[in-house]
Amino acid sequence: MNAICEQGDCLHLLDLHNVWCNAVNHHHDPCAAIDRMRLDRVGEIHIAGGAWQDGFWMDAHNSRVPEEVWKLLEYTLPRAPRVGGVVFEVLEEHVSRLGPELIVGELARAREIWNSCRRDPSCH
């Protein structure tokens, strides 16, 4: 991604849940993966939930955001100065099961972290 953004002179979307899925499934530190990225080239961050399937954590967009992904957002956001927003991803077929209260709660927590990290860049 670093090379693509550099050569393309563009920003990219950083899917933190996907970073965390890879860390869980391949047994590595997600913060170390974040540290290798050009965070000045991140324009948008996505968070989501997932589920276990056949021994792997899947980026399924079907549940609430895992606590570890929230921590990863708090770690990443202050290091990514060009981020224009954080998006909570959920697939339409899971919306009614999750319910509006859960979705509003996830959005409120994302907004709280956004505001905290934008006021105090050392929020992590």
PDB file of all heavy atoms in Angstrom, residues 73-105:
ATOM      1  N   LEU A  73      -8.077   1.508  16.753  1.00  0.00           N
ATOM      2  CA  LEU A  73      -8.505   2.815  16.264  1.00  0.00           C
ATOM      3  C   LEU A  73      -7.873   3.923  17.108  1.00  0.00           C
ATOM      4  O   LEU A  73      -7.356   4.904  16.572  1.00  0.00           O
ATOM      5  CB  LEU A  73     -10.033   2.929  16.280  1.00  0.00           C
ATOM      6  CG  LEU A  73     -10.618   4.268  15.832  1.00  0.00           C
ATOM      7  CD1 LEU A  73     -10.247   4.578  14.374  1.00  0.00           C
ATOM      8  CD2 LEU A  73     -12.140   4.261  16.006  1.00  0.00           C
ATOM      9  N   GLU A  74      -7.897   3.757  18.422  1.00  0.00           N
ATOM     10  CA  GLU A  74      -7.280   4.750  19.306  1.00  0.00           C
ATOM     11  C   GLU A  74      -5.772   4.858  19.064  1.00  0.00           C
ATOM     12  O   GLU A  74      -5.199   5.941  19.200  1.00  0.00           O
ATOM     13  CB  GLU A  74      -7.548   4.401  20.766  1.00  0.00           C
ATOM     14  CG  GLU A  74      -8.995   4.585  21.159  1.00  0.00           C
ATOM     15  CD  GLU A  74      -9.316   4.089  22.554  1.00  0.00           C
ATOM     16  OE1 GLU A  74      -8.556   3.246  23.090  1.00  0.00           O
ATOM     17  OE2 GLU A  74     -10.321   4.538  23.124  1.00  0.00           O
ATOM     18  N   TYR A  75      -5.147   3.762  18.711  1.00  0.00           N
ATOM     19  CA  TYR A  75      -3.708   3.742  18.413  1.00  0.00           C
ATOM     20  C   TYR A  75      -3.421   4.432  17.079  1.00  0.00           C
ATOM     21  O   TYR A  75      -2.446   5.172  16.943  1.00  0.00           O
ATOM     22  CB  TYR A  75      -3.224   2.286  18.365  1.00  0.00           C
ATOM     23  CG  TYR A  75      -1.757   2.131  18.071  1.00  0.00           C
ATOM     24  CD1 TYR A  75      -0.825   2.270  19.094  1.00  0.00           C
ATOM     25  CD2 TYR A  75      -1.316   1.846  16.792  1.00  0.00           C
ATOM     26  CE1 TYR A  75       0.532   2.133  18.834  1.00  0.00           C
ATOM     27  CE2 TYR A  75       0.038   1.706  16.517  1.00  0.00           C
ATOM     28  CZ  TYR A  75       0.962   1.842  17.551  1.00  0.00           C
ATOM     29  OH  TYR A  75       2.308   1.715  17.285  1.00  0.00           O
ATOM     30  N   THR A  76      -4.270   4.197  16.093  1.00  0.00           N
ATOM     31  CA  THR A  76      -4.007   4.632  14.722  1.00  0.00           C
ATOM     32  C   THR A  76      -4.432   6.064  14.451  1.00  0.00           C
ATOM     33  O   THR A  76      -3.706   6.819  13.783  1.00  0.00           O
ATOM     34  CB  THR A  76      -4.750   3.697  13.739  1.00  0.00           C
ATOM     35  OG1 THR A  76      -4.353   2.351  14.000  1.00  0.00           O
ATOM     36  CG2 THR A  76      -4.440   4.045  12.297  1.00  0.00           C
ATOM     37  N   LEU A  77      -5.570   6.455  14.920  1.00  0.00           N
ATOM     38  CA  LEU A  77      -6.148   7.748  14.560  1.00  0.00           C
ATOM     39  C   LEU A  77      -5.210   8.934  14.820  1.00  0.00           C
ATOM     40  O   LEU A  77      -5.067   9.799  13.952  1.00  0.00           O
ATOM     41  CB  LEU A  77      -7.491   7.936  15.265  1.00  0.00           C
ATOM     42  CG  LEU A  77      -8.414   9.001  14.710  1.00  0.00           C
ATOM     43  CD1 LEU A  77      -8.637   8.872  13.209  1.00  0.00           C
ATOM     44  CD2 LEU A  77      -9.739   8.956  15.446  1.00  0.00           C
ATOM     45  N   PRO A  78      -4.542   9.001  15.966  1.00  0.00           N
ATOM     46  CA  PRO A  78      -3.657  10.156  16.177  1.00  0.00           C
ATOM     47  C   PRO A  78      -2.446  10.163  15.239  1.00  0.00           C
ATOM     48  O   PRO A  78      -1.815  11.194  15.058  1.00  0.00           O
ATOM     49  CB  PRO A  78      -3.189  10.019  17.621  1.00  0.00           C
ATOM     50  CG  PRO A  78      -3.974   8.946  18.231  1.00  0.00           C
ATOM     51  CD  PRO A  78      -4.634   8.155  17.142  1.00  0.00           C
ATOM     52  N   ARG A  79      -2.135   9.040  14.647  1.00  0.00           N
ATOM     53  CA  ARG A  79      -0.975   8.920  13.762  1.00  0.00           C
ATOM     54  C   ARG A  79      -1.338   9.144  12.288  1.00  0.00           C
ATOM     55  O   ARG A  79      -0.474   9.103  11.430  1.00  0.00           O
ATOM     56  CB  ARG A  79      -0.370   7.523  13.911  1.00  0.00           C
ATOM     57  CG  ARG A  79       0.231   7.255  15.270  1.00  0.00           C
ATOM     58  CD  ARG A  79       0.531   5.753  15.456  1.00  0.00           C
ATOM     59  NE  ARG A  79       1.315   5.496  16.627  1.00  0.00           N
ATOM     60  CZ  ARG A  79       0.840   5.436  17.865  1.00  0.00           C
ATOM     61  NH1 ARG A  79      -0.454   5.628  18.072  1.00  0.00           N
ATOM     62  NH2 ARG A  79       1.635   5.186  18.884  1.00  0.00           N
ATOM     63  N   ALA A  80      -2.612   9.349  12.023  1.00  0.00           N
ATOM     64  CA  ALA A  80      -3.104   9.470  10.646  1.00  0.00           C
ATOM     65  C   ALA A  80      -3.738  10.854  10.460  1.00  0.00           C
ATOM     66  O   ALA A  80      -4.960  11.011  10.544  1.00  0.00           O
ATOM     67  CB  ALA A  80      -4.107   8.359  10.356  1.00  0.00           C
ATOM     68  N   PRO A  81      -2.922  11.851  10.175  1.00  0.00           N
ATOM     69  CA  PRO A  81      -3.401  13.239  10.187  1.00  0.00           C
ATOM     70  C   PRO A  81      -4.384  13.620   9.087  1.00  0.00           C
ATOM     71  O   PRO A  81      -5.092  14.609   9.221  1.00  0.00           O
ATOM     72  CB  PRO A  81      -2.106  14.050  10.039  1.00  0.00           C
ATOM     73  CG  PRO A  81      -1.158  13.132   9.331  1.00  0.00           C
ATOM     74  CD  PRO A  81      -1.500  11.752   9.836  1.00  0.00           C
ATOM     75  N   ARG A  82      -4.463  12.847   8.017  1.00  0.00           N
ATOM     76  CA  ARG A  82      -5.324  13.236   6.887  1.00  0.00           C
ATOM     77  C   ARG A  82      -6.658  12.496   6.854  1.00  0.00           C
ATOM     78  O   ARG A  82      -7.434  12.659   5.913  1.00  0.00           O
ATOM     79  CB  ARG A  82      -4.573  13.004   5.579  1.00  0.00           C
ATOM     80  CG  ARG A  82      -3.351  13.919   5.488  1.00  0.00           C
ATOM     81  CD  ARG A  82      -2.506  13.615   4.311  1.00  0.00           C
ATOM     82  NE  ARG A  82      -3.099  14.184   3.099  1.00  0.00           N
ATOM     83  CZ  ARG A  82      -2.537  14.103   1.906  1.00  0.00           C
ATOM     84  NH1 ARG A  82      -1.379  13.492   1.757  1.00  0.00           N
ATOM     85  NH2 ARG A  82      -3.121  14.631   0.862  1.00  0.00           N
ATOM     86  N   VAL A  83      -6.929  11.708   7.865  1.00  0.00           N
ATOM     87  CA  VAL A  83      -8.182  10.941   7.886  1.00  0.00           C
ATOM     88  C   VAL A  83      -9.364  11.897   7.943  1.00  0.00           C
ATOM     89  O   VAL A  83      -9.428  12.778   8.801  1.00  0.00           O
ATOM     90  CB  VAL A  83      -8.214   9.970   9.087  1.00  0.00           C
ATOM     91  CG1 VAL A  83      -9.602   9.364   9.266  1.00  0.00           C
ATOM     92  CG2 VAL A  83      -7.187   8.873   8.901  1.00  0.00           C
ATOM     93  N   GLY A  84     -10.302  11.698   7.030  1.00  0.00           N
ATOM     94  CA  GLY A  84     -11.494  12.527   6.975  1.00  0.00           C
ATOM     95  C   GLY A  84     -12.670  11.942   7.722  1.00  0.00           C
ATOM     96  O   GLY A  84     -13.660  12.627   7.964  1.00  0.00           O
ATOM     97  N   GLY A  85     -12.599  10.654   8.087  1.00  0.00           N
ATOM     98  CA  GLY A  85     -13.703  10.046   8.806  1.00  0.00           C
ATOM     99  C   GLY A  85     -13.467   8.580   9.108  1.00  0.00           C
ATOM    100  O   GLY A  85     -12.574   7.951   8.556  1.00  0.00           O
ATOM    101  N   VAL A  86     -14.307   8.071  10.004  1.00  0.00           N
ATOM    102  CA  VAL A  86     -14.296   6.663  10.399  1.00  0.00           C
ATOM    103  C   VAL A  86     -15.663   6.093  10.049  1.00  0.00           C
ATOM    104  O   VAL A  86     -16.692   6.685  10.396  1.00  0.00           O
ATOM    105  CB  VAL A  86     -14.016   6.509  11.907  1.00  0.00           C
ATOM    106  CG1 VAL A  86     -14.125   5.054  12.341  1.00  0.00           C
ATOM    107  CG2 VAL A  86     -12.648   7.082  12.265  1.00  0.00           C
ATOM    108  N   VAL A  87     -15.682   4.957   9.375  1.00  0.00           N
ATOM    109  CA  VAL A  87     -16.922   4.325   8.919  1.00  0.00           C
ATOM    110  C   VAL A  87     -17.104   2.988   9.634  1.00  0.00           C
ATOM    111  O   VAL A  87     -16.186   2.171   9.665  1.00  0.00           O
ATOM    112  CB  VAL A  87     -16.876   4.098   7.387  1.00  0.00           C
ATOM    113  CG1 VAL A  87     -18.097   3.316   6.920  1.00  0.00           C
ATOM    114  CG2 VAL A  87     -16.752   5.428   6.649  1.00  0.00           C
ATOM    115  N   PHE A  88     -18.294   2.784  10.203  1.00  0.00           N
ATOM    116  CA  PHE A  88     -18.660   1.485  10.764  1.00  0.00           C
ATOM    117  C   PHE A  88     -19.351   0.701   9.660  1.00  0.00           C
ATOM    118  O   PHE A  88     -20.396   1.110   9.152  1.00  0.00           O
ATOM    119  CB  PHE A  88     -19.585   1.649  11.972  1.00  0.00           C
ATOM    120  CG  PHE A  88     -20.183   0.359  12.470  1.00  0.00           C
ATOM    121  CD1 PHE A  88     -19.388  -0.725  12.801  1.00  0.00           C
ATOM    122  CD2 PHE A  88     -21.550   0.228  12.607  1.00  0.00           C
ATOM    123  CE1 PHE A  88     -19.940  -1.920  13.257  1.00  0.00           C
ATOM    124  CE2 PHE A  88     -22.124  -0.952  13.068  1.00  0.00           C
ATOM    125  CZ  PHE A  88     -21.313  -2.021  13.394  1.00  0.00           C
ATOM    126  N   GLU A  89     -18.754  -0.421   9.283  1.00  0.00           N
ATOM    127  CA  GLU A  89     -19.307  -1.244   8.210  1.00  0.00           C
ATOM    128  C   GLU A  89     -20.159  -2.373   8.789  1.00  0.00           C
ATOM    129  O   GLU A  89     -19.713  -3.091   9.674  1.00  0.00           O
ATOM    130  CB  GLU A  89     -18.179  -1.874   7.392  1.00  0.00           C
ATOM    131  CG  GLU A  89     -17.326  -0.902   6.634  1.00  0.00           C
ATOM    132  CD  GLU A  89     -16.255  -1.626   5.856  1.00  0.00           C
ATOM    133  OE1 GLU A  89     -15.244  -2.000   6.480  1.00  0.00           O
ATOM    134  OE2 GLU A  89     -16.442  -1.819   4.636  1.00  0.00           O
ATOM    135  N   VAL A  90     -21.349  -2.519   8.243  1.00  0.00           N
ATOM    136  CA  VAL A  90     -22.202  -3.651   8.576  1.00  0.00           C
ATOM    137  C   VAL A  90     -22.993  -3.994   7.315  1.00  0.00           C
ATOM    138  O   VAL A  90     -23.491  -3.102   6.625  1.00  0.00           O
ATOM    139  CB  VAL A  90     -23.126  -3.349   9.781  1.00  0.00           C
ATOM    140  CG1 VAL A  90     -24.045  -2.191   9.515  1.00  0.00           C
ATOM    141  CG2 VAL A  90     -23.900  -4.575  10.218  1.00  0.00           C
ATOM    142  N   LEU A  91     -23.062  -5.272   7.011  1.00  0.00           N
ATOM    143  CA  LEU A  91     -23.821  -5.698   5.836  1.00  0.00           C
ATOM    144  C   LEU A  91     -25.319  -5.593   6.117  1.00  0.00           C
ATOM    145  O   LEU A  91     -25.793  -5.899   7.212  1.00  0.00           O
ATOM    146  CB  LEU A  91     -23.451  -7.124   5.443  1.00  0.00           C
ATOM    147  CG  LEU A  91     -22.025  -7.318   4.931  1.00  0.00           C
ATOM    148  CD1 LEU A  91     -21.759  -8.792   4.651  1.00  0.00           C
ATOM    149  CD2 LEU A  91     -21.765  -6.491   3.682  1.00  0.00           C
ATOM    150  N   GLU A  92     -26.048  -5.202   5.098  1.00  0.00           N
ATOM    151  CA  GLU A  92     -27.479  -4.954   5.227  1.00  0.00           C
ATOM    152  C   GLU A  92     -28.235  -6.141   5.825  1.00  0.00           C
ATOM    153  O   GLU A  92     -29.149  -5.963   6.636  1.00  0.00           O
ATOM    154  CB  GLU A  92     -28.056  -4.596   3.855  1.00  0.00           C
ATOM    155  CG  GLU A  92     -29.500  -4.216   3.901  1.00  0.00           C
ATOM    156  CD  GLU A  92     -30.049  -3.790   2.550  1.00  0.00           C
ATOM    157  OE1 GLU A  92     -29.266  -3.602   1.598  1.00  0.00           O
ATOM    158  OE2 GLU A  92     -31.271  -3.657   2.453  1.00  0.00           O
ATOM    159  N   GLU A  93     -27.849  -7.359   5.458  1.00  0.00           N
ATOM    160  CA  GLU A  93     -28.597  -8.521   5.952  1.00  0.00           C
ATOM    161  C   GLU A  93     -28.444  -8.754   7.458  1.00  0.00           C
ATOM    162  O   GLU A  93     -29.157  -9.564   8.040  1.00  0.00           O
ATOM    163  CB  GLU A  93     -28.212  -9.793   5.180  1.00  0.00           C
ATOM    164  CG  GLU A  93     -26.753 -10.144   5.241  1.00  0.00           C
ATOM    165  CD  GLU A  93     -25.975  -9.706   4.015  1.00  0.00           C
ATOM    166  OE1 GLU A  93     -26.360  -8.724   3.371  1.00  0.00           O
ATOM    167  OE2 GLU A  93     -24.966 -10.351   3.716  1.00  0.00           O
ATOM    168  N   HIS A  94     -27.512  -8.019   8.108  1.00  0.00           N
ATOM    169  CA  HIS A  94     -27.317  -8.173   9.555  1.00  0.00           C
ATOM    170  C   HIS A  94     -27.883  -7.003  10.355  1.00  0.00           C
ATOM    171  O   HIS A  94     -27.905  -7.053  11.586  1.00  0.00           O
ATOM    172  CB  HIS A  94     -25.820  -8.342   9.861  1.00  0.00           C
ATOM    173  CG  HIS A  94     -25.212  -9.504   9.158  1.00  0.00           C
ATOM    174  ND1 HIS A  94     -25.510 -10.807   9.480  1.00  0.00           N
ATOM    175  CD2 HIS A  94     -24.343  -9.561   8.128  1.00  0.00           C
ATOM    176  CE1 HIS A  94     -24.838 -11.620   8.681  1.00  0.00           C
ATOM    177  NE2 HIS A  94     -24.132 -10.891   7.855  1.00  0.00           N
ATOM    178  N   VAL A  95     -28.352  -5.983   9.674  1.00  0.00           N
ATOM    179  CA  VAL A  95     -28.815  -4.771  10.349  1.00  0.00           C
ATOM    180  C   VAL A  95     -29.983  -5.060  11.284  1.00  0.00           C
ATOM    181  O   VAL A  95     -29.988  -4.641  12.445  1.00  0.00           O
ATOM    182  CB  VAL A  95     -29.181  -3.673   9.320  1.00  0.00           C
ATOM    183  CG1 VAL A  95     -29.933  -2.532   9.979  1.00  0.00           C
ATOM    184  CG2 VAL A  95     -27.931  -3.174   8.623  1.00  0.00           C
ATOM    185  N   SER A  96     -30.997  -5.781  10.829  1.00  0.00           N
ATOM    186  CA  SER A  96     -32.168  -6.016  11.680  1.00  0.00           C
ATOM    187  C   SER A  96     -31.819  -6.886  12.884  1.00  0.00           C
ATOM    188  O   SER A  96     -32.354  -6.672  13.973  1.00  0.00           O
ATOM    189  CB  SER A  96     -33.313  -6.636  10.883  1.00  0.00           C
ATOM    190  OG  SER A  96     -32.938  -7.895  10.373  1.00  0.00           O
ATOM    191  N   ARG A  97     -30.906  -7.833  12.713  1.00  0.00           N
ATOM    192  CA  ARG A  97     -30.491  -8.675  13.845  1.00  0.00           C
ATOM    193  C   ARG A  97     -29.716  -7.870  14.881  1.00  0.00           C
ATOM    194  O   ARG A  97     -29.903  -8.035  16.086  1.00  0.00           O
ATOM    195  CB  ARG A  97     -29.643  -9.858  13.350  1.00  0.00           C
ATOM    196  CG  ARG A  97     -29.158 -10.777  14.477  1.00  0.00           C
ATOM    197  CD  ARG A  97     -28.312 -11.924  13.951  1.00  0.00           C
ATOM    198  NE  ARG A  97     -27.206 -11.502  13.126  1.00  0.00           N
ATOM    199  CZ  ARG A  97     -26.042 -11.025  13.581  1.00  0.00           C
ATOM    200  NH1 ARG A  97     -25.860 -10.878  14.879  1.00  0.00           N
ATOM    201  NH2 ARG A  97     -25.078 -10.688  12.753  1.00  0.00           N
ATOM    202  N   LEU A  98     -28.843  -6.989  14.413  1.00  0.00           N
ATOM    203  CA  LEU A  98     -28.046  -6.179  15.334  1.00  0.00           C
ATOM    204  C   LEU A  98     -28.904  -5.123  16.020  1.00  0.00           C
ATOM    205  O   LEU A  98     -28.727  -4.842  17.197  1.00  0.00           O
ATOM    206  CB  LEU A  98     -26.890  -5.505  14.590  1.00  0.00           C
ATOM    207  CG  LEU A  98     -25.839  -6.446  14.023  1.00  0.00           C
ATOM    208  CD1 LEU A  98     -24.802  -5.670  13.223  1.00  0.00           C
ATOM    209  CD2 LEU A  98     -25.173  -7.264  15.118  1.00  0.00           C
ATOM    210  N   GLY A  99     -29.813  -4.541  15.270  1.00  0.00           N
ATOM    211  CA  GLY A  99     -30.724  -3.546  15.832  1.00  0.00           C
ATOM    212  C   GLY A  99     -30.142  -2.144  15.859  1.00  0.00           C
ATOM    213  O   GLY A  99     -28.930  -1.959  15.896  1.00  0.00           O
ATOM    214  N   PRO A 100     -31.047  -1.183  15.829  1.00  0.00           N
ATOM    215  CA  PRO A 100     -30.601   0.218  15.776  1.00  0.00           C
ATOM    216  C   PRO A 100     -29.817   0.662  17.010  1.00  0.00           C
ATOM    217  O   PRO A 100     -28.902   1.464  16.895  1.00  0.00           O
ATOM    218  CB  PRO A 100     -31.895   1.015  15.623  1.00  0.00           C
ATOM    219  CG  PRO A 100     -33.001   0.083  15.956  1.00  0.00           C
ATOM    220  CD  PRO A 100     -32.494  -1.302  15.748  1.00  0.00           C
ATOM    221  N   GLU A 101     -30.156   0.143  18.182  1.00  0.00           N
ATOM    222  CA  GLU A 101     -29.456   0.556  19.400  1.00  0.00           C
ATOM    223  C   GLU A 101     -27.979   0.191  19.331  1.00  0.00           C
ATOM    224  O   GLU A 101     -27.115   0.996  19.684  1.00  0.00           O
ATOM    225  CB  GLU A 101     -30.098  -0.064  20.650  1.00  0.00           C
ATOM    226  CG  GLU A 101     -31.502   0.423  20.924  1.00  0.00           C
ATOM    227  CD  GLU A 101     -32.557  -0.323  20.103  1.00  0.00           C
ATOM    228  OE1 GLU A 101     -32.264  -1.402  19.542  1.00  0.00           O
ATOM    229  OE2 GLU A 101     -33.681   0.188  20.005  1.00  0.00           O
ATOM    230  N   LEU A 102     -27.663  -1.024  18.870  1.00  0.00           N
ATOM    231  CA  LEU A 102     -26.271  -1.440  18.764  1.00  0.00           C
ATOM    232  C   LEU A 102     -25.534  -0.589  17.732  1.00  0.00           C
ATOM    233  O   LEU A 102     -24.423  -0.122  17.977  1.00  0.00           O
ATOM    234  CB  LEU A 102     -26.167  -2.920  18.386  1.00  0.00           C
ATOM    235  CG  LEU A 102     -24.745  -3.461  18.347  1.00  0.00           C
ATOM    236  CD1 LEU A 102     -24.692  -4.866  18.893  1.00  0.00           C
ATOM    237  CD2 LEU A 102     -24.170  -3.437  16.940  1.00  0.00           C
ATOM    238  N   ILE A 103     -26.159  -0.363  16.606  1.00  0.00           N
ATOM    239  CA  ILE A 103     -25.512   0.414  15.541  1.00  0.00           C
ATOM    240  C   ILE A 103     -25.273   1.853  15.998  1.00  0.00           C
ATOM    241  O   ILE A 103     -24.175   2.395  15.822  1.00  0.00           O
ATOM    242  CB  ILE A 103     -26.340   0.344  14.245  1.00  0.00           C
ATOM    243  CG1 ILE A 103     -26.304  -1.100  13.714  1.00  0.00           C
ATOM    244  CG2 ILE A 103     -25.815   1.334  13.205  1.00  0.00           C
ATOM    245  CD1 ILE A 103     -27.259  -1.373  12.590  1.00  0.00           C
ATOM    246  N   VAL A 104     -26.261   2.466  16.622  1.00  0.00           N
ATOM    247  CA  VAL A 104     -26.096   3.825  17.140  1.00  0.00           C
ATOM    248  C   VAL A 104     -24.995   3.854  18.197  1.00  0.00           C
ATOM    249  O   VAL A 104     -24.183   4.783  18.245  1.00  0.00           O
ATOM    250  CB  VAL A 104     -27.439   4.361  17.690  1.00  0.00           C
ATOM    251  CG1 VAL A 104     -27.239   5.631  18.503  1.00  0.00           C
ATOM    252  CG2 VAL A 104     -28.412   4.602  16.556  1.00  0.00           C
ATOM    253  N   GLY A 105     -24.932   2.822  19.020  1.00  0.00           N
ATOM    254  CA  GLY A 105     -23.878   2.733  20.035  1.00  0.00           C
ATOM    255  C   GLY A 105     -22.484   2.649  19.431  1.00  0.00           C
ATOM    256  O   GLY A 105     -21.540   3.288  19.914  1.00  0.00           O
TER     257      GLY A 105
END
